[in-house]
Amino acid sequence: MHSFGHRLNGLLTFSVTILAIMCAIASLSDNLNTPSPTAEIKIMNINWFQKQPQGNDEVSLTMNISADLQSLFTWNTKQLFIFVAAEYETPKNSLNQVSLWDAIIPAKEHAKFWIHTSNKYRFVDQGNNLRGKKFNLTLHWHVMPKTGKMFADKIVMAGYSFPEEYR
Amino acid sequence: MDWQGQKLAEQIMQIMLLVFAVTAFVAGYVLGSFQMMVLVYAGGVTLTGLITIPNWPFFNRHPLNWLDPSEAEKHPKPQVTVISKKKGSKK
């Protein structure tokens, strides 16, 4: 510690190392959080259900999505990325997942919400398997931290099905 | 800074940084604010820097007694005499 520059270098190195350790501990503290999220999706209307010229089924639906995701927020949470996906099985694919809607929730106050919306992204099948098909709607979320590990989880809601005929 | 001062500066720096780190983390966690943790820690780093980096007088309480230049001339450095060895002797 014999010179100004030497002491300055020591201070900067040590302080940044300690900051890295603090961020690691902050990230570990997220594991202490036990979240209890709830969600509900109601399909208000099937707007239309057609077979495209290429041969693929397409459907447009209006949903009412309501959720309480406030318990997912911690002091180390920057934002929550959520999306709704439809899941179903076809002869060609054992699992199809189609993302219908997503949003970013920037703060805990906005995490308890409901939204009445049509699907943000088009719901197109690989083929024409959707008539009468049963499907699940899952709400996925990614808890994006300010520093450290990102957690992701989902709620599966089953019991939805397509109409038997095109409309 | 003298030797004792350097040691003191290093000790103060390490202890202050650790104390501020713990305080900042606890403050941030209890208040639920990541920003509070960063602000307290940044303030602590700045304060530590102001105390330990400049050459304050209290770091120089055991000054080194360098030899006075006029005194040094009276005691010249000993000369190193080179002993040349002759390899092989002529008979």
Side-chain angles (χ1 to χ4, degrees):
Chain A
M1 296 281 135
H2 51 76
S3 69
F4 185 94
H6 193 208
R7 290 191 291 275
L8 180 66
N9 184 33
L11 177 81
L12 288 174
T13 312
F14 196 48
S15 65
V16 169
T17 307
I18 293 180
L19 182 65
I21 296 174
M22 278 161 71
C23 287
I25 300 176
S27 179
L28 285 172
S29 78
D30 276 351
N31 291 311
L32 299 171
N33 188 33
T34 49
S36 50
T38 58
E40 199 189 326
I41 305 181
K42 283 198 274 272
I43 297 190
M44 307 305 285
N45 188 31
I46 306 251
N47 305 327
W48 44 266
F49 181 19
Q50 294 291 321
K51 183 171 169 171
Q52 289 179 339
Q54 296 94 335
N56 297 325
D57 280 352
E58 184 175 348
V59 64
S60 163
L61 26 84
T62 302
M63 303 172 279
N64 189 329
I65 305 167
S66 64
D68 181 0
L69 304 171
Q70 288 186 320
S71 58
L72 292 167
F73 274 84
T74 69
W75 70 306
N76 186 28
T77 302
K78 183 179 184 321
Q79 64 194 16
L80 215 55
F81 173 71
I82 60 174
F83 65 96
V84 170
E87 295 175 350
Y88 57 94
E89 193 184 323
T90 58
K92 188 175 162 197
N93 304 318
S94 62
L95 176 66
N96 296 278
Q97 288 171 308
V98 183
S99 181
L100 299 178
W101 174 87
D102 55 31
I104 288 180
I105 303 180
K108 194 170 178 172
E109 300 78 52
H110 303 133
K112 189 168 178 177
F113 67 96
W114 62 268
I115 179 171
H116 194 98
T117 176
S118 59
N119 47 314
K120 198 171 172 184
Y121 305 109
R122 296 173 65 168
F123 191 158
V124 181
D125 185 29
Q126 284 182 336
N128 54 355
N129 307 297
L130 295 185
R131 277 163 295 170
K133 174 73 68 182
K134 285 208 274 280
F135 64 99
N136 295 340
L137 284 173
T138 47
L139 178 70
H140 297 247
W141 58 81
H142 286 62
V143 182
M144 301 169 81
K146 292 197 167 99
T147 165
K149 181 171 186 274
M150 182 172 85
F151 295 87
D153 204 352
K154 62 185 180 188
I155 290 181
V156 181
M157 288 156 278
Y160 305 90
S161 58
F162 290 105
E164 297 287 346
E165 293 303 323
Y166 293 126
R167 348 179 154 158
Chain B
M1 267 192 209
D2 59 56
W3 302 119
Q4 298 280 25
Q6 289 177 31
K7 182 178 169 186
L8 185 64
E10 184 163 2
Q11 281 178 336
I12 290 178
M13 182 194 291
Q14 289 172 341
I15 291 174
M16 275 186 79
L17 282 179
L18 284 172
V19 164
F20 269 106
V22 170
T23 312
F25 189 87
V26 168
Y29 190 76
V30 162
L31 291 171
S33 166
F34 195 85
Q35 186 169 28
M36 186 52 66
M37 175 175 97
V38 174
L39 283 175
V40 170
Y41 185 61
V45 170
T46 314
L47 186 67
T48 307
L50 284 173
I51 292 179
T52 61
I53 294 181
N55 199 2
W56 300 116
F58 67 84
F59 284 127
N60 216 5
R61 280 196 284 230
H62 305 267
L64 297 160
N65 292 317
W66 294 110
L67 207 53
D68 205 44
S70 55
E71 184 71 27
E73 278 166 19
K74 294 183 193 163
H75 306 273
K77 279 174 91 168
Q79 296 291 324
V80 177
T81 51
V82 178
I83 302 169
S84 55
K85 287 184 183 167
K86 282 184 183 170
K87 287 186 182 174
S89 51
K90 282 184 180 175
K91 274 193 179 167

